[in-house]
Amino acid sequence: MAFLADALSRVKPSATIAVSQKKRELEAQGLKVIGLEMGEPDFDTPDNVKEAAIAAIRRGETKYTPVSGIKPLREAIAAKFKRENNLDYDWTQTIVGTGGKHILFNALMATLNPGDEVVIPSPYWVSYPEMVALCGGTPVFAQTTLEDNFKLKAEALEAAITPKTKWLILNSPSNPSGAAYTGDELKVIADVLLKHPQVWVLTDDMYEHLIYGDFQYRTIAEVEPKLIDRTLTMNGVSKAYAMTGWRIGYAAGPIELIKAMDKIQSQQTSGTSSVSQWAAVEALNGPQDFVAKNKAIFQSRRDLVVSMLNQATGINCPTPEGAFYVYPSCAGLIGKKTESGKVIETDEDFVTELLLSEQVAVVHGSAFGLGPNFRISYATSEELLEEACKRIQRFAASLR
Ligand SMILES: Cc1ncc(COP(=O)(O)O)c(C=O)c1O
């Protein structure tokens, strides 16, 4: 009898972490690697948020909290959804979890039975299919294309839906492509969903505040209020407020689903860290200038990276609307040889050889379900980004 659970055999290790591991091996040999593989803002958490956490510790807010979160945070979440997304959620319809990841996991765990299907547009964030599989469901991929800027079209969604479909996971702006849906594009998706009343939407709005130019952020329940009774609107403070280590994610949705997620959480983690919850209250209710300032910095990095990559031989990089990722195609380099004679057959070969020859760590697109592409996280300084893009240009030009 095997000791480890069968469920584990359904789960793949994270490709991002595997690239980081290879990067560390090269660093151990004394090489200086530019790491563009991790999805984490390089800024520090704003001071007002840190101070709120320190004050909470001093006040003795150091005990268990209610499972779904402290009331001031749940009220701040309901107020945020009203203020920024024009969504009317009562505070009792909200839940706080240990990061956005935890919220997603619990929503799936609370709803999936074996055989239930979850539609996931490709390219996708690596955790979605693994979470679905761990919860006993079946991921069903709906392909997008570079020509459509990696956005799901009605026909692809329609083709992926079956009577067994329980959820569509939407992620805008997207990890890994950075693509964000306009209100009109969301309406097209909503119209398909209106024809299939059994399908719920799990919208992962984690990168909501990282959108550039005059792009107007919209979320699906706002665009189509008829979907509100079958939408879980998920968000968090990790990316918007550079709070990845505080582990606070949240969502709002129909009360039965929130209660089911609360039930799971009550036997699993209980309420998340009390101190982090008070910090998140300040992040949501306090001054928002941090968000605008960082948005400008990210936009200038995005423009630099897109322009430099498009100057590289064989690389085609669309300009994404948001997040801090670009997802260029390396189709023009497939079949070519490195100077040492290695043929680049896949995007994984491309990223491996790039790392070995030029010490730039990026993640291959096949890990996100669409290739030949690669993902660059531009959450690092312009200086490093410029150097990394020069090395990518040099590597691309060296292939024959
Ligand atoms: C699309 C997406 N959703 C959710 C998360 C998870 O966020 P958290 O760190 O709050 O768990 C991430 C983190 O990388 C992400 O990229």
Short mmCIF file of all heavy atoms in Angstrom, two decimals, residues 63-69 95-99 101-103 105-106 109 247 261-274 277:
data_model
loop_
_atom_site.label_atom_id
_atom_site.label_comp_id
_atom_site.label_asym_id
_atom_site.label_seq_id
_atom_site.Cartn_x
_atom_site.Cartn_y
_atom_site.Cartn_z
N LYS A 63 -4.88 37.44 19.00
CA LYS A 63 -5.60 36.20 19.32
C LYS A 63 -6.31 35.66 18.08
O LYS A 63 -6.34 36.31 17.05
CB LYS A 63 -6.65 36.52 20.40
CG LYS A 63 -6.05 37.07 21.70
CD LYS A 63 -5.30 36.00 22.43
CE LYS A 63 -5.10 36.29 23.90
NZ LYS A 63 -4.14 37.35 24.19
N TYR A 64 -6.90 34.48 18.22
CA TYR A 64 -7.72 33.94 17.12
C TYR A 64 -8.75 34.98 16.69
O TYR A 64 -9.28 35.70 17.53
CB TYR A 64 -8.53 32.73 17.60
CG TYR A 64 -7.74 31.47 17.85
CD1 TYR A 64 -7.91 30.77 19.04
CD2 TYR A 64 -6.87 30.96 16.90
CE1 TYR A 64 -7.22 29.60 19.29
CE2 TYR A 64 -6.18 29.77 17.15
CZ TYR A 64 -6.36 29.10 18.34
OH TYR A 64 -5.69 27.93 18.59
N THR A 65 -9.03 35.01 15.42
CA THR A 65 -10.10 35.90 14.93
C THR A 65 -11.25 35.02 14.45
O THR A 65 -11.08 33.80 14.31
CB THR A 65 -9.61 36.76 13.74
OG1 THR A 65 -9.56 35.92 12.57
CG2 THR A 65 -8.27 37.40 14.00
N PRO A 66 -12.42 35.61 14.16
CA PRO A 66 -13.47 34.79 13.53
C PRO A 66 -12.92 34.14 12.27
O PRO A 66 -12.03 34.70 11.60
CB PRO A 66 -14.56 35.82 13.20
CG PRO A 66 -14.33 36.97 14.13
CD PRO A 66 -12.85 37.01 14.37
N VAL A 67 -13.44 32.97 11.93
CA VAL A 67 -12.90 32.17 10.82
C VAL A 67 -12.88 32.97 9.51
O VAL A 67 -11.89 32.98 8.77
CB VAL A 67 -13.72 30.86 10.64
CG1 VAL A 67 -13.30 30.12 9.39
CG2 VAL A 67 -13.55 29.98 11.87
N SER A 68 -13.96 33.67 9.20
CA SER A 68 -14.03 34.40 7.92
C SER A 68 -13.34 35.75 7.97
O SER A 68 -13.32 36.45 6.96
CB SER A 68 -15.49 34.62 7.51
OG SER A 68 -16.05 33.42 7.08
N GLY A 69 -12.80 36.12 9.11
CA GLY A 69 -12.07 37.39 9.20
C GLY A 69 -12.72 38.36 10.17
O GLY A 69 -13.90 38.23 10.51
N ILE A 95 -15.28 36.92 2.63
CA ILE A 95 -14.45 36.01 3.44
C ILE A 95 -12.98 36.36 3.24
O ILE A 95 -12.59 36.76 2.14
CB ILE A 95 -14.75 34.53 3.09
CG1 ILE A 95 -13.97 33.58 4.02
CG2 ILE A 95 -14.45 34.20 1.63
CD1 ILE A 95 -14.47 32.15 4.03
N VAL A 96 -12.21 36.22 4.31
CA VAL A 96 -10.78 36.51 4.26
C VAL A 96 -10.03 35.19 4.39
O VAL A 96 -10.37 34.37 5.23
CB VAL A 96 -10.37 37.44 5.42
CG1 VAL A 96 -8.89 37.77 5.36
CG2 VAL A 96 -11.21 38.70 5.42
N GLY A 97 -9.03 34.99 3.56
CA GLY A 97 -8.25 33.75 3.63
C GLY A 97 -6.76 34.05 3.67
O GLY A 97 -6.32 35.20 3.57
N THR A 98 -5.98 32.98 3.80
CA THR A 98 -4.53 33.10 3.88
C THR A 98 -3.95 33.23 2.47
O THR A 98 -3.38 32.29 1.92
CB THR A 98 -3.97 31.89 4.65
OG1 THR A 98 -4.63 31.85 5.92
CG2 THR A 98 -2.48 32.00 4.89
N GLY A 99 -4.15 34.40 1.89
CA GLY A 99 -3.72 34.64 0.50
C GLY A 99 -4.84 34.30 -0.47
O GLY A 99 -5.78 33.55 -0.14
N LYS A 101 -4.58 32.45 -2.94
CA LYS A 101 -4.48 31.03 -3.23
C LYS A 101 -5.42 30.20 -2.35
O LYS A 101 -6.07 29.28 -2.80
CB LYS A 101 -3.03 30.62 -2.94
CG LYS A 101 -2.46 29.66 -3.91
CD LYS A 101 -0.98 29.46 -3.64
CE LYS A 101 -0.29 28.96 -4.87
NZ LYS A 101 1.16 28.91 -4.73
N HIS A 102 -5.46 30.55 -1.09
CA HIS A 102 -6.29 29.83 -0.12
C HIS A 102 -7.77 30.00 -0.45
O HIS A 102 -8.56 29.05 -0.37
CB HIS A 102 -5.97 30.41 1.26
CG HIS A 102 -6.57 29.66 2.40
ND1 HIS A 102 -6.90 30.28 3.57
CD2 HIS A 102 -6.90 28.36 2.56
CE1 HIS A 102 -7.41 29.38 4.41
NE2 HIS A 102 -7.41 28.22 3.81
N ILE A 103 -8.14 31.20 -0.86
CA ILE A 103 -9.53 31.48 -1.23
C ILE A 103 -9.94 30.61 -2.42
O ILE A 103 -10.99 29.96 -2.42
CB ILE A 103 -9.68 32.98 -1.60
CG1 ILE A 103 -9.43 33.88 -0.38
CG2 ILE A 103 -11.02 33.26 -2.27
CD1 ILE A 103 -10.55 33.92 0.62
N PHE A 105 -8.57 27.86 -3.49
CA PHE A 105 -8.56 26.46 -3.11
C PHE A 105 -9.84 26.08 -2.36
O PHE A 105 -10.49 25.08 -2.65
CB PHE A 105 -7.32 26.18 -2.24
CG PHE A 105 -7.01 24.72 -2.15
CD1 PHE A 105 -6.11 24.15 -3.03
CD2 PHE A 105 -7.63 23.91 -1.22
CE1 PHE A 105 -5.83 22.79 -2.97
CE2 PHE A 105 -7.36 22.56 -1.15
CZ PHE A 105 -6.46 21.99 -2.03
N ASN A 106 -10.21 26.93 -1.39
CA ASN A 106 -11.41 26.61 -0.59
C ASN A 106 -12.69 26.69 -1.41
O ASN A 106 -13.61 25.90 -1.19
CB ASN A 106 -11.50 27.53 0.62
CG ASN A 106 -10.52 27.11 1.69
OD1 ASN A 106 -9.88 26.06 1.58
ND2 ASN A 106 -10.37 27.92 2.73
N MET A 109 -12.68 23.47 -3.30
CA MET A 109 -12.91 22.35 -2.39
C MET A 109 -14.37 22.30 -1.93
O MET A 109 -14.95 21.24 -1.74
CB MET A 109 -12.00 22.50 -1.18
CG MET A 109 -11.90 21.25 -0.40
SD MET A 109 -10.58 21.42 0.78
CE MET A 109 -10.09 19.75 0.88
N ARG A 247 0.04 37.32 3.59
CA ARG A 247 -0.91 36.25 3.32
C ARG A 247 -2.36 36.65 3.61
O ARG A 247 -3.02 36.08 4.49
CB ARG A 247 -0.54 34.96 4.11
CG ARG A 247 0.90 34.50 3.95
CD ARG A 247 1.38 34.40 2.51
NE ARG A 247 0.63 33.49 1.68
CZ ARG A 247 0.18 33.81 0.45
NH1 ARG A 247 0.42 35.00 -0.09
NH2 ARG A 247 -0.51 32.93 -0.24
N MET A 261 -17.32 27.83 2.42
CA MET A 261 -15.87 28.07 2.51
C MET A 261 -15.46 28.30 3.97
O MET A 261 -14.40 27.85 4.41
CB MET A 261 -15.49 29.28 1.64
CG MET A 261 -15.62 28.98 0.15
SD MET A 261 -15.59 30.45 -0.88
CE MET A 261 -13.92 31.03 -0.64
N ASP A 262 -16.33 28.98 4.73
CA ASP A 262 -16.07 29.21 6.16
C ASP A 262 -15.99 27.87 6.90
O ASP A 262 -15.13 27.66 7.76
CB ASP A 262 -17.18 30.11 6.72
CG ASP A 262 -17.06 30.32 8.22
OD1 ASP A 262 -17.43 29.39 8.97
OD2 ASP A 262 -16.57 31.39 8.65
N LYS A 263 -16.89 26.95 6.52
CA LYS A 263 -16.93 25.64 7.18
C LYS A 263 -15.61 24.90 6.96
O LYS A 263 -15.04 24.33 7.89
CB LYS A 263 -18.10 24.85 6.60
CG LYS A 263 -18.42 23.57 7.32
CD LYS A 263 -19.73 22.99 6.75
CE LYS A 263 -20.06 21.67 7.37
NZ LYS A 263 -21.25 21.08 6.75
N ILE A 264 -15.11 24.95 5.72
CA ILE A 264 -13.84 24.28 5.42
C ILE A 264 -12.72 24.94 6.22
O ILE A 264 -11.92 24.27 6.89
CB ILE A 264 -13.54 24.34 3.91
CG1 ILE A 264 -14.53 23.45 3.16
CG2 ILE A 264 -12.10 23.92 3.61
CD1 ILE A 264 -14.41 23.52 1.67
N GLN A 265 -12.70 26.26 6.16
CA GLN A 265 -11.62 27.00 6.82
C GLN A 265 -11.63 26.75 8.35
O GLN A 265 -10.59 26.72 8.99
CB GLN A 265 -11.79 28.49 6.51
CG GLN A 265 -10.50 29.26 6.48
CD GLN A 265 -10.63 30.60 5.72
OE1 GLN A 265 -10.81 30.59 4.51
NE2 GLN A 265 -10.56 31.69 6.43
N SER A 266 -12.83 26.54 8.90
CA SER A 266 -12.93 26.35 10.36
C SER A 266 -12.21 25.08 10.80
O SER A 266 -11.76 24.99 11.93
CB SER A 266 -14.39 26.32 10.79
OG SER A 266 -14.99 25.09 10.40
N GLN A 267 -12.13 24.10 9.91
CA GLN A 267 -11.44 22.85 10.27
C GLN A 267 -10.03 22.79 9.71
O GLN A 267 -9.37 21.77 9.80
CB GLN A 267 -12.23 21.64 9.76
CG GLN A 267 -13.60 21.50 10.35
CD GLN A 267 -13.58 21.24 11.85
OE1 GLN A 267 -12.54 21.33 12.50
NE2 GLN A 267 -14.73 20.92 12.41
N GLN A 268 -9.60 23.89 9.09
CA GLN A 268 -8.36 23.82 8.33
C GLN A 268 -7.33 24.81 8.86
O GLN A 268 -6.31 24.43 9.42
CB GLN A 268 -8.75 24.12 6.87
CG GLN A 268 -7.66 24.13 5.87
CD GLN A 268 -8.16 24.91 4.65
OE1 GLN A 268 -8.73 25.99 4.82
NE2 GLN A 268 -7.96 24.37 3.48
N THR A 269 -7.58 26.10 8.70
CA THR A 269 -6.60 27.10 9.15
C THR A 269 -7.17 28.03 10.21
O THR A 269 -6.44 28.82 10.79
CB THR A 269 -6.19 28.00 7.96
OG1 THR A 269 -7.38 28.46 7.33
CG2 THR A 269 -5.32 27.26 6.97
N SER A 270 -8.52 28.00 10.43
CA SER A 270 -9.23 29.02 11.22
C SER A 270 -9.02 30.38 10.56
O SER A 270 -8.62 30.43 9.39
CB SER A 270 -8.76 29.03 12.67
OG SER A 270 -9.00 27.77 13.25
N GLY A 271 -9.22 31.45 11.31
CA GLY A 271 -9.02 32.78 10.72
C GLY A 271 -7.54 32.98 10.41
O GLY A 271 -6.68 32.40 11.06
N THR A 272 -7.25 33.82 9.40
CA THR A 272 -5.85 34.06 9.06
C THR A 272 -5.22 35.00 10.11
O THR A 272 -5.90 35.47 11.02
CB THR A 272 -5.73 34.58 7.61
OG1 THR A 272 -4.36 34.62 7.25
CG2 THR A 272 -6.31 35.97 7.47
N SER A 273 -3.94 35.26 9.98
CA SER A 273 -3.20 36.04 10.98
C SER A 273 -3.91 37.34 11.36
O SER A 273 -4.26 38.15 10.49
CB SER A 273 -1.82 36.38 10.39
OG SER A 273 -1.36 37.62 10.89
N SER A 274 -4.12 37.52 12.66
CA SER A 274 -4.83 38.71 13.15
C SER A 274 -4.09 39.99 12.77
O SER A 274 -4.68 40.97 12.33
CB SER A 274 -4.99 38.63 14.67
OG SER A 274 -3.70 38.49 15.27
N GLN A 277 -4.47 40.86 9.19
CA GLN A 277 -5.81 41.36 8.89
C GLN A 277 -5.91 42.86 9.21
O GLN A 277 -6.48 43.63 8.44
CB GLN A 277 -6.86 40.60 9.67
CG GLN A 277 -7.02 39.16 9.19
CD GLN A 277 -8.23 38.48 9.82
OE1 GLN A 277 -9.35 38.93 9.70
NE2 GLN A 277 -7.97 37.37 10.50
#
